[in-house]
Amino acid sequence: MLPLALCTLLGLLGRAVARPASYAVWGADSAIARGQGNGLDNGVPLVNYPDGEFQWALRHLLDRTGNQSYYDYILEGANNIVYDNGTVHGSYNLSAYVLDPIRTGPTFLYLYEKTDDAKWKTAAQTYRTQLNSHPRTAEGQFWHKLIYPNQGWLDGIYMGDVFYATWTAMLDANNHTAWADITRQFQLIFDHNIQIPIIDANYTGLLYHGYDYSHVAVWASPDRGHSPEVWDRALGWYMMALVDTIELAPSTSGLLKPTLLTLLNILAPPLRDAADPTTGAWWLVLTQPGRAGNYFESSGAMMFVYALLKAVRLGYVPDVDGSIVAAAKKGYEYAIANWVIDNGDGTMSWNNTVLVGSLNLAGDFDYYISQPVDIDDLKGLAAFVLASLEYELL
């Protein structure tokens, strides 16, 4: 028989390495244990869009679990990039006119709602002010970055327009001009990037990564200036932006909600059909399924699972035959079997997230597949938490 002290120690060790029953909790707790998503990069403040994505997931997890530690972590992360007077500091530079940092804006508005501390409204106002002067195409699309003139990327809708809609809903709900502008952002990017049958090779019915209104980028197509491929994470950003913005759109938002519902219902069926029929996973480059060098990528896949399940759950997309939910479930279960790594210490790691995808080079197949694959990349892990929250509601 083992001594009592040893039995006690073994029992404590067993509890220490036990993983939560919820994958959403496990994923979030593991990221927190590694210090991810807290507004710091090696101790240096960093205004970072994956942090905003992760904080969005933590808000939903807090609502589901009531675990106050998630709120505390959101607050800690935001405090690391905002001074007490509301100044956003660290890596933020308004004059660079980049949409990516604005993804942290919904966190500021969330904290303002929770605390009524003017600091957070001031911080959010910084981003709202940026949008007032942010460069646009002649049609009104926000440039993704100042250094990419006249380019609209799907990524930017998630980064900038979810905040734009959150600000307007919370603080300026009767601003019909703003609501029309947000609607235009979603519609313009769709019109320029949607694949057209017969005209477009490797047709999927989905959206190209981005477009150049001026048609001068090396990758711009001659017809609408779009990029050559459908990249999974860019489409994932857009799909998440659709379902999240529909959810927060008030009755005063005019055509926003019906427009976004229309776009979502156009995209959901081909997105379901783009999943690999054998595994249920989605390819990194959706326009080149099975091509040598292509692979199943984890961040875009989890964004798709989140968006599709949320769309069906909230009644945004009909799923009469259950095929949309079935596709999302199959994709999620592939992720559990292939991308979740049990570290044996109570935490998990997340695999197969492509580090980056940009339109600063050729934007072609060879570019996308040449980018490094990361482990524990927060862009993918945050999406996994969101997808897990939806899957666990099933």
Side-chain angles (χ1 to χ4, degrees), residues 10 122-123 161 185 200 249-250 281 286 294 328 337 371 376:
L10 290 173
T122 300
D161 290 293
Q185 299 302 316
D200 292 339
L286 291 165
N294 208 355
Q371 301 311 299
D376 292 330

Side-chain angles (χ1 to χ4, degrees), residues 105-148:
T107 296
F108 301 161
L109 291 170
Y110 171 76
L111 292 172
Y112 178 60
E113 183 180 49
K114 293 295 184 183
T115 67
D116 202 31
D117 185 342
K119 163 185 176 176
W120 301 116
K121 183 180 180 181
T122 300
Q125 179 71 63
T126 301
Y127 294 156
R128 185 62 185 86
T129 299
Q130 175 181 329
L131 293 180
N132 287 336
S133 57
H134 197 95
R136 299 170 179 250
T137 68
E139 293 180 308
Q141 185 90 68
F142 290 130
W143 297 4
H144 190 66
K145 296 182 181 183
L146 182 63
I147 61 172
Y148 302 137

